[in-house]
């Protein structure tokens, strides 16, 4: 029989697994895309939607997932999220056409949108009253993200080489089943609260976020100044504006707008948004540089990302909690974002005839240092600043900030990279110039993020 104290840490392991899987789902498909294109008949432009369908569903539904977590209980929503993920994985694995594959990916994204905010709510329930343990729990949760990203590259390469691409999705079936069975045993029963779902608010924010992300991620393919981009972008922004109006007049809104007046909550979410917008493009283009310029295979590319991942895990788990207690949130977030900017600028000097040891390793470690310093304090502040009864909402907001920031940042930096030649396969000089431009653009995002954090976070802020 597992005692109550051990059960809390088993529950944390399940929460970290959830974060690991949510992030891994964005990276594990990369190596398999050529085979999926051949088997399912994707067009070259349509192939990217195997990734985008997941990200858009995840980003668009996170706020609703957070609200449902508050209303119906975090454990119920956590379980439901795994069930939806399992169903989406089966659909994606069995898909025989492109549209069925995209349907499976949308379902996987919807499941992740239920899992992510409820997981953070459960983490706060388990550790929120124990500040010292909360810092460790958030560190483990945060470290699971880069570990999932790197593991995805490894596993995607192994599965594609030794089995076939559908096994990428079959992998999620046993994991989802184990998670569903374990949730009832180790997770605390979190009661929901009385209230109703703001259907209009949920519809406008979900559609607004999804359409806006759709417009931006599609822009590098069709162009930024064309109707195909401007029309959905305008429509998405209009829907988001309508959402704000609805929230002001609703008696029980999906998002209580007053929550953003909570000290540090808005600044912490902005930091998470810009952190995702700078970090994910770095990881994406660094992987392309390793494979398309240095000639690494998927396995070797994953191995090259391991030092960066190990450093992040060690810093988040063993160092960041102690530094937060000594330096405070503001210093950590500002310093971390600026360290990430330095690492990105350093990466922009990578050479077409470069090497991993000289051109990648030192710069990537500096960038990893910045990510590790900024992520935990901004995440913890975004959640702990809210009222306990709005934990699910706060978790949904911060997850939305990071995921939407990641999607928009990657789309914008893809456009920057392509404009400087990042799409010209076979020419390492031009390719490297495109990747360098994307690194500089991402560095600018991180630099601006540091200034915003300096302006919006308090000097002696609450530390998680």
């Amino acid at each position: 029989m597992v005692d109550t104290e051990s059960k809390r840490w088993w529950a944390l392991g399940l929460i970290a697994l959830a974060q690991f899987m949510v992030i891994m789902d964005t990276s594990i498909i990369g190596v398999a895309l050529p085979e999926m294109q051949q088997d399912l008949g994707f067009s070259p432009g349509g192939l990217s939607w195997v990734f985008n369908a997941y990200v858009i569903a995840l980003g668009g539904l996170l706020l609703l997932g957070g609200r449902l977590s508050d209303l119906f209980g975090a454990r119920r929503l956590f379980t439901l999220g795994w069930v939806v993920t399992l169903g989406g994985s089966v659909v994606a694995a069995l898909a025989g056409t492109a549209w069925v594959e995209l349907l499976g990916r949308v379902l996987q994204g919807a499941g992740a949108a239920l899992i992510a905010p409820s997981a953070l709510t459960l983490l706060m329930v388990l550790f929120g009253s124990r500040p010292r343990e909360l810092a460790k729990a958030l560190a483990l949760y945060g470290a699971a993200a880069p570990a999932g990203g790197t593991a995805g590259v490894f596993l995607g390469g192994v599965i594609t080489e030794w089995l076939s691409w559908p096994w990428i999705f079959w992998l999620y079936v046993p994991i989802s089943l184990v998670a569903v069975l374990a949730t009832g045993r180790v997770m605390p029963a979190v009661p929901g609260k009385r209230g109703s779902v703001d259907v209009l608010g949920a519809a406008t924010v979900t559609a607004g976020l999804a359409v806006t992300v759709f417009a931006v991620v599609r822009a590098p393919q069709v162009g930024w100044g064309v109707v195909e981009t401007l029309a959905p972008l305008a429509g998405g922004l209009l829907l988001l504006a309508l959402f704000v109006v609805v929230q002001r007049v609703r008696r029980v809104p999906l998002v209580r707008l007053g929550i953003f007046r909570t000290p540090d909550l808005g600044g912490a979410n902005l930091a998470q948004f810009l952190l995702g917008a700078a970090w994910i493009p770095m990881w994406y283009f660094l992987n392309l540089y390793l494979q398309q310029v240095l000639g690494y295979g998927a396995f070797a590319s994953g191995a090259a990302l391991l030092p960066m991942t190990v450093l992040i895990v060690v810093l988040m788990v063993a160092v960041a909690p102690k530094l937060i207690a000594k330096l405070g949130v503001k210093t950590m977030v500002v310093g971390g974002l600026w360290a990430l900017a330095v690492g990105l600028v350093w990466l922009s000097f990578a050479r077409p005839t470069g090497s991993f040891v000289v051109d990648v390793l030192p710069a990537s470690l500096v960038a990893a240092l910045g990510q590790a310093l900024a992520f935990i304090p901004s995440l913890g502040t975004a959640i702990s600043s809210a009222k306990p009864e709005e934990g699910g909402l706060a978790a949904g907001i911060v997850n939305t900030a990071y995921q939407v920031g990641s999607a928009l940042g990657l789309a914008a930096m893809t456009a920057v990279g392509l404009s400087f030649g990042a799409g010209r396969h076979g020419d390492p000089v031009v390719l490297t110039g495109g990747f360098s431009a994307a690194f500089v653009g991402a560095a600018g995002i991180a630099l601006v993020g540091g200034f915003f954090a300096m302006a919006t976070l308090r000097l002696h802020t609450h530390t998680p």
Side-chain angles (χ1 to χ4, degrees):
M1 193 73 178
V2 180
D3 61 70
T4 304
E5 188 66 20
S6 298
K7 187 182 289 188
R8 289 193 308 115
W9 294 102
W10 279 107
L12 176 62
L14 186 54
I15 291 168
L17 173 66
Q19 172 74 337
F20 180 93
M21 297 298 289
V22 167
I23 301 302
M24 189 175 77
D25 213 356
T26 64
S27 64
I28 195 171
I29 63 166
V31 180
L33 288 177
E35 287 192 13
M36 295 174 71
Q37 181 178 8
Q38 182 177 354
D39 291 349
L40 300 178
F42 279 101
S43 66
L47 189 61
S48 64
W49 287 99
V50 180
F51 172 81
N52 293 337
Y54 176 84
V55 173
I56 290 173
L58 173 60
L61 292 169
L62 275 167
L63 283 178
L64 178 59
R67 174 60 175 165
L68 293 176
S69 176
D70 287 336
L71 288 178
F72 298 107
R75 189 172 74 176
R76 289 192 186 97
L77 263 292
F78 189 74
T79 304
L80 179 60
W82 283 109
V83 172
V84 175
T85 296
L86 189 155
S89 300
V90 171
V91 172
L94 295 175
T97 61
W99 76 266
V100 175
E101 182 62 40
L102 295 182
L103 173 62
R105 291 294 284 165
V106 167
L107 288 173
Q108 283 188 310
L114 299 178
I115 291 171
S118 55
L120 275 175
T121 300
L122 289 165
L123 186 150
M124 294 301 296
V125 169
L126 289 163
F127 298 96
S129 61
R130 309 177 185 219
R132 189 181 297 270
E133 291 185 356
L134 176 60
K136 295 178 181 177
L138 285 171
L140 182 61
Y141 175 87
T150 303
V153 176
F154 268 121
L155 290 174
V158 171
I159 291 172
T160 303
E161 182 172 351
W162 295 102
L163 296 169
S164 59
W165 66 261
W167 285 97
I168 285 176
F169 302 110
W170 288 124
L171 173 68
Y172 283 80
V173 173
I175 294 173
S176 298
L177 287 172
V178 170
V180 168
L181 294 174
T183 297
R185 292 179 176 271
V186 302
M187 289 297 184
V190 182
K193 64 180 184 180
R194 291 192 173 188
S196 59
V197 177
D198 175 11
V199 177
L200 181 59
T204 52
V205 72
T206 300
L209 286 171
V211 172
T212 301
V213 173
F214 168 85
V216 175
V217 299
R218 189 165 174 253
Q221 302 169 22
V222 301
W224 287 89
V226 298
V227 174
E228 289 91 336
T229 297
L230 296 178
L233 184 60
L237 295 176
L238 183 62
L239 284 168
L240 291 175
L242 178 60
F243 167 72
V244 173
V245 173
V246 170
Q247 299 314 286
R248 286 186 176 277
V249 301
R250 286 280 187 187
R251 187 173 62 85
V252 184
L254 178 67
V255 176
R256 183 178 65 84
L257 296 180
I259 194 173
F260 292 103
R261 292 195 293 269
T262 303
D264 293 322
L265 186 140
N269 276 282
L270 181 59
Q272 281 277 307
F273 178 90
L274 295 172
L275 190 61
W279 174 257
I280 295 302
M282 186 223 71
W283 184 90
Y284 177 80
F285 284 104
L286 181 57
N287 194 35
L288 289 181
Y289 174 76
L290 289 167
Q291 294 192 41
Q292 296 181 3
V293 177
L294 298 189
Y296 285 28
F299 218 51
S301 179
L305 297 174
L306 272 179
M308 183 170 62
T309 304
V310 170
L311 179 64
I312 289 177
V313 172
V314 170
L315 289 174
M316 283 188 176
V317 173
V319 178
K322 297 177 182 178
L323 287 179
I324 294 172
K326 290 183 178 180
L327 302 177
V329 167
K330 182 173 183 175
T331 301
M332 290 281 287
V333 175
V334 173
L337 282 162
W338 285 350
L340 175 57
V342 170
L344 283 161
V345 170
W346 195 344
L347 281 172
S348 73
F349 289 101
R351 300 163 298 166
T353 57
S355 68
F356 168 72
V357 173
V358 175
D359 296 82
V360 174
L361 182 60
S364 67
L365 292 180
V366 172
L369 169 66
Q371 171 75 357
L373 293 179
F375 186 86
I376 297 302
S378 56
L379 175 68
T381 301
I383 301 170
S384 60
S385 296
K387 299 175 182 178
E389 63 269 22
E390 293 183 317
L393 173 60
I397 292 172
V398 71
N399 270 289
T400 301
Y402 188 81
Q403 295 296 339
V404 173
S406 299
L408 297 182
L410 179 57
M413 292 308 102
T414 297
V416 170
L418 289 174
S419 67
F420 283 87
R424 297 184 190 175
H425 300 284
D427 189 338
V429 175
V430 178
L431 276 173
T432 303
F435 299 154
S436 295
F439 289 138
V440 171
I445 294 173
L447 183 66
V448 170
F451 282 114
F452 273 122
M454 181 180 289
T456 57
L457 294 176
R458 292 178 300 173
L459 183 60
H460 303 290
T461 188
H462 171 74
T463 57

